[in-house]
Amino acid sequence: DGSAGLGGSITLDPPGGVYPSGTVVTLRPVPDAQHRFDAWYNGDIIGNDVPVSITMYDDHSVTAYFSFLDNLQFSPAFLTPTDEKLYFIASTPWTGNELWTSDGTLAGTHLVRDLNPGPFSLEARFISALGSTAYLFAFYEGDWRILASDGTIAGTTPIAALQGEFPMSAPVRVGDVLYFNTLGNNTASIWRTDGSTAGTFKIEESSPPLSYVLHDLSGMLYFTTNDPVDASVPWRLWKTTGTPGSSTLIYESSQIGDVVDLDGIPVFSADDGANQ
């Protein structure tokens, strides 16, 4: 039994609705004019995969939900442009908070993938871009992971798990690499990713955890650390090439302020005990 909410219909291939046992039936949602398909919901299929198939060994009920194109009251967050599209997290009653995309038109604004199928919200943080690909952090399949998306269902996949750690801030882009910091069980880390699984790994780790603040200065990653144990010089400024063990100490102080780029030279405020 295939049913659809107002705004569309479902096609069955092969048609008919009654089939011999073992028949594979492919279902496609067909929105009416000025409507969009949002998700399968309240039946034997949930999510937004298109098309979907069922092997008929028993009775099945499937429901498709459609919305008006201009029904966009869903509190978007983490709006992030890539070279081609806008990505953001938004919510509907039948998908919860999930990843959406837009090309700047109503018809081109839609759910990318219902990663936590059904009305249950995906726990997600931050979206970043490298070229035409969006990257986000999400609690997916039992761990925090970084996922890549090209705006399609098939092209929205996890590339690396964060090994039980939690993303602490939006990534900093340095050239064609994203750097981000995480916090785990008595551990803090700096990671890098170039968008591939092999190119996603830790470059720094501290236990007890340090507080990391990352900066892109003329194509080089600099970062400050705050050490809760060392009361004499708790703040340090470092630079790194982005590989494990490559960090170089630049300066240490009882206080380091914001770090900015002045024609390739890091400029910052500090307290050396006599002057600030």
Side-chain angles (χ1 to χ4, degrees), residues 245-267:
S246 67
S247 298
T248 302
L249 179 63
I250 302 298
Y251 193 79
E252 55 186 10
S253 174
S254 60
Q255 181 65 49
I256 293 178
D258 289 339
V259 182
V260 297
D261 188 349
L262 180 63
D263 295 329
I265 300 173
V267 177

Side-chain angles (χ1 to χ4, degrees), residues 53-183:
S53 296
I54 295 178
T55 302
M56 300 299 296
Y57 293 112
D58 202 347
D59 293 341
H60 291 278
S61 175
V62 176
T63 302
Y65 274 78
F66 301 88
S67 295
F68 287 105
L69 290 179
D70 58 359
N71 180 13
L72 300 176
Q73 298 177 2
F74 46 33
S75 301
F78 300 119
L79 277 71
T80 303
T82 67
D83 288 350
E84 298 177 354
K85 300 177 183 178
L86 178 72
Y87 290 83
F88 53 94
I89 301 296
S91 179
T92 70
W94 40 88
T95 64
N97 287 315
E98 295 287 347
L99 180 65
W100 284 65
T101 188
S102 178
D103 63 2
T105 68
L106 287 175
T109 301
H110 59 85
L111 174 68
V112 175
R113 182 180 174 188
D114 194 0
L115 287 158
N116 193 3
F120 313 103
S121 292
L122 178 73
E123 190 174 357
R125 291 173 63 88
F126 313 119
I127 303 176
S128 300
L130 286 176
S132 60
T133 303
Y135 297 88
L136 71 152
F137 299 107
F139 193 79
Y140 182 68
E141 297 181 339
D143 198 356
W144 278 94
R145 301 175 188 270
I146 185 168
L147 293 87
S149 179
D150 63 0
T152 67
I153 294 171
T156 303
T157 57
I159 60 173
L162 301 187
Q163 303 171 11
E165 299 184 10
F166 178 83
M168 292 298 293
S169 61
V172 172
R173 180 173 178 174
V174 181
D176 293 327
V177 176
L178 296 176
Y179 293 91
F180 56 94
N181 58 309
T182 61
L183 183 65

Side-chain angles (χ1 to χ4, degrees), residues 26-40:
T26 300
L27 300 86
R28 292 180 182 272
V30 182
D32 292 341
Q34 298 304 306
H35 287 76
R36 67 172 187 268
F37 165 71
D38 276 344
W40 307 103

Side-chain angles (χ1 to χ4, degrees), residues 44-56:
D44 292 329
I45 297 175
I46 56 176
N48 71 320
D49 288 359
V50 176
V52 291
S53 296
I54 295 178
T55 302
M56 300 299 296

